[in-house]
Structure formats: structure tokens, C-alpha cells
Amino acid sequence: MAYLRSSAFKSLLRTRASSLCPQQRRWAQVHDVRFLATHHDPNQVLDRYRSKLKQKAQAEGHQDIDSLKEAYKEKIEEFRHKATTPLTPEPPKSSPSPSTTGPSPPPPPPTPQARAASSATSTGIRPLDSFIDVEKVRSLPPKEIEAIWRLRFANNSHSVCAVIPVETYQRIVSAARQNPQFVLPLPRTQSEAQTAEGNAEAAKGGADIHFLQWGFHPPASPTASSAASANDHTSTIIFTALASYQLHGSYAQPHTTVTHYLDLADEKGLVLMNGQVMPDSGVSATDATWLVSCVQRFYDFGGQANGRKGELLQAFTRGDVQNFKVEDLMAEAEKL
């Protein structure tokens, strides 16, 4: 969307409560009860017909029911095999009784590494240890840690990274918890906008609008530090083209995902940020860097967002069409 119209944004703000709420995914399956099969305990069937089986065993000269079953073993297996279908499989062999094997010992408590792996699996967030050796860099000064972090992604053309002072991050996160969604313009050059729209008139003042959403998760690498530790969460920001989000809702494919790691926040006062840009998404690492820098401009209420930027963010959250102006959004985004 390379040409902005105020009416489109007013419509977005009016319908924000309904259009920006996550769409629930339903994975329920309907089963036809005619095809649901259960297998009863064989002992229940045996008890029910025990008297008749005893009579048959005596009539055929067998000592007891077990002797009768042994004599008809092959025939029983043949009938059981013929009755087996994909929907009614043959019941599994009986397992040893719990009374004979004894109770199973309780599983050992999970280690911090296991908890970290479980957290990373459930949230899909890679722990910081998967990028750098955290224990080794703890002994380094902040300047060297920043250099190592930037060099780690220097050869990745689809990656953006930054090192944020923990005080600045805490101001941004405080605003993000109250304003978890926002829109940001990504200015396009005149030639890019003209190529996208096919005419020079639409190229003037061209910009793409991108929708961002904050997410807060358990720390990807939990530590045994005190309750006052800053490393009590991992935050993410996902960026999606607004046109795609309006079309697909929560099923829209984000083009950039940003993760903030607080593993070194207590000892070094640093928050490490890494962002991954989806290849062939139409967004470059340079574009993603611009969007990430705009996040600080609009969310750092104690710093760059102290003024009109913060007012625009809060107006968007309230759905205030009178105070949220597209022209102001673009002008403020370009101010350093």
C-alpha cells in the first residue's frame, strides 16, 4: 500500500476493536459414532459365560476352562484375526498387572536446562545460548559484548540486531504493555513507489504501512537469580504488512520477527535484540532496521517518544480518530 489516505486510517481506527482481535483457530474434528469401536476386558466376557464354558469343558472331557481354551487356541486366533479391521484392530496383549510390577517411581524434577528447552519449544523462541556462549561473554565488558553480538549476524543478509541499555528497554516495554499494537509507515523512494503503483502521482509521498504486535513470553533461558531479576520474560515484536493483516487477520504471514533477550540485563545492563526477516517477503533488512528504530521513537516515553509521538501511540490504542493523524504519523516517524 504505497499511497496513504486519511479516510482509510479513520476506518481502521473505528473498527480496531473488532479487526485487530486475534481470530480463534478451531481444530475440532467430527467423528461418526458408528465407526467408534471399543474393546471390553476379556475377563468380563469370561465371567459372563463361565457356567456354560464349564459345561462344555465337562462334556468334551476337559479338566477346566483353561484346558478348553488351550484346545481351541488355534480356532480362537483364527476367528480373532478374521474379525480384525482397521477400525476395530486386534486388542493388544495384556500388560503385567500394576500389583505385580509395583508402582513406578516419580520422575525426577526438570533441570533448568530442561525447563529452558521446554520453554523454547512451546514458544518457538531460540534461547540466547543458541547464538553465543552466554557464560563466556558474562566476563567481558559491555563494549566487547556489543561487538560480538553485531559480528554474530554480520554475514546474515536477512538479520537485524541491536544492543539496548536495560533502562531504555524497560521504558519501551512499559509503554508496550499498555499499547501492544501500532502501525508504522515505511517511506518509499519516488522510483519505488512509482514502480509499485504504476503512476507518478501515487509516487509522491509514498509509504507502506506495517502493523506491529508485541508479545511477552517466559524467559527463553531461565536462571536461578532472585525474584527482582530483570530476566523475567522474553519479548517479541512481529511486523506484518497492514494490507495483508486486513485481508487475512491473525493468519497473515509476518515478514519480520524481533526478539529481545534479557540474559545479561542484570550483570551487564544490556538487552540483546535480534530480528529475522523472511526471504522474498518484499521487505529488506534495511527496511526492517527502519521499522525497529521507529519502535523506540514511538515507545520510549521517557526519551524520544516524549511528545507528539507518544500522543499518536496512545491515540491509536484508544481508537481516537480525532487525534491520530496520518500526516503526523509520517512526519514524526521521519524525525530523529
Side-chain angles (χ1 to χ4, degrees):
M1 184 172 63
Y3 187 57
L4 300 177
R5 299 180 184 274
S6 296
S7 58
F9 266 88
K10 290 181 180 179
S11 175
L12 171 65
L13 292 174
R14 291 193 189 99
T15 59
R16 184 176 176 277
S18 59
S19 63
L20 300 187
C21 62
Q23 299 179 7
Q24 182 180 5
R25 296 178 174 87
R26 295 177 174 85
W27 305 100
Q29 296 181 356
V30 179
H31 297 278
D32 192 328
V33 296
R34 294 173 297 176
F35 296 103
L36 294 178
T38 58
H39 297 285
H40 298 286
D41 186 352
N43 291 327
Q44 295 179 358
V45 179
L46 182 62
D47 292 339
R48 184 175 179 182
Y49 296 99
R50 185 176 297 277
S51 60
K52 293 184 178 181
L53 289 171
K54 284 183 177 180
Q55 293 177 6
K56 184 173 180 62
Q58 293 175 359
E60 296 187 7
H62 297 285
Q63 295 179 355
D64 51 25
I65 297 177
D66 291 336
S67 177
L68 178 67
K69 289 171 61 179
E70 186 65 27
Y72 283 88
K73 181 178 179 180
E74 294 183 2
K75 202 166 188 178
I76 292 173
E77 292 295 334
E78 182 181 353
F79 276 107
R80 180 178 293 171
H81 182 72
K82 289 181 179 179
T84 300
T85 68
L87 293 175
T88 58
E90 184 176 352
K93 303 295 182 181
S94 59
S95 58
S97 172
S99 60
T100 60
T101 59
S104 301
T111 63
Q113 292 78 9
R115 288 195 297 269
S118 175
S119 174
T121 301
S122 60
T123 61
I125 298 174
R126 293 177 58 182
L128 187 60
D129 273 330
S130 64
F131 296 108
I132 58 175
D133 191 327
V134 177
E135 294 307 317
K136 286 186 178 180
V137 302
R138 288 186 192 277
S139 60
L140 301 177
K143 288 292 185 182
E144 292 187 22
I145 295 175
E146 180 175 355
I148 291 173
W149 185 246
R150 294 185 182 280
L151 287 172
R152 173 63 178 78
F153 304 100
N155 296 325
N156 189 340
S157 60
H158 299 292
S159 177
V160 296
C161 67
V163 177
I164 308 171
V166 66
E167 296 82 4
T168 301
Y169 173 80
Q170 288 173 341
R171 292 196 304 266
I172 293 173
V173 165
S174 177
R177 293 187 184 276
Q178 301 176 22
N179 307 273
Q181 300 173 344
F182 194 46
V183 289
L184 290 172
L186 177 62
R188 295 294 188 184
T189 63
Q190 183 170 346
S191 60
E192 288 175 330
Q194 184 172 350
T195 301
E197 294 295 332
N199 61 80
E201 183 179 356
K204 298 177 181 179
D208 289 341
I209 302 300
H210 297 265
F211 177 57
L212 70 87
Q213 296 171 283
W214 282 84
F216 297 92
H217 318 276
S221 302
T223 61
S225 54
S226 64
S229 170
N231 186 28
D232 59 357
H233 71 278
T234 300
S235 68
T236 58
I237 312 174
I238 59 174
F239 293 91
T240 311
L242 182 59
S244 176
Y245 189 86
Q246 288 177 320
L247 181 62
H248 301 290
S250 60
Y251 292 93
Q253 178 68 45
H255 59 71
T256 303
T257 302
V258 173
T259 306
H260 299 94
Y261 295 98
L262 285 80
D263 301 62
L264 303 176
D266 294 324
E267 299 97 329
K268 302 300 179 181
L270 301 177
V271 176
L272 305 185
M273 185 275 286
N274 170 244
Q276 295 295 326
V277 183
M278 290 290 293
D280 303 321
S281 62
V283 175
S284 66
T286 302
D287 296 334
T289 300
W290 165 269
L291 292 172
V292 170
S293 67
C294 283
V295 170
Q296 181 172 350
R297 297 177 198 174
F298 284 90
Y299 277 88
D300 187 4
F301 282 3
Q304 300 182 45
N306 185 19
R308 183 58 178 151
K309 292 183 177 65
E311 293 175 358
L312 287 169
L313 175 61
Q314 294 170 324
F316 181 85
T317 301
R318 295 192 306 266
D320 187 349
V321 297
Q322 298 299 323
N323 291 311
F324 185 88
K325 304 295 184 183
V326 178
E327 297 80 5
D328 292 347
L329 179 71
M330 294 188 62
E332 294 295 330
E334 294 180 353
K335 288 182 180 178
L336 299 178

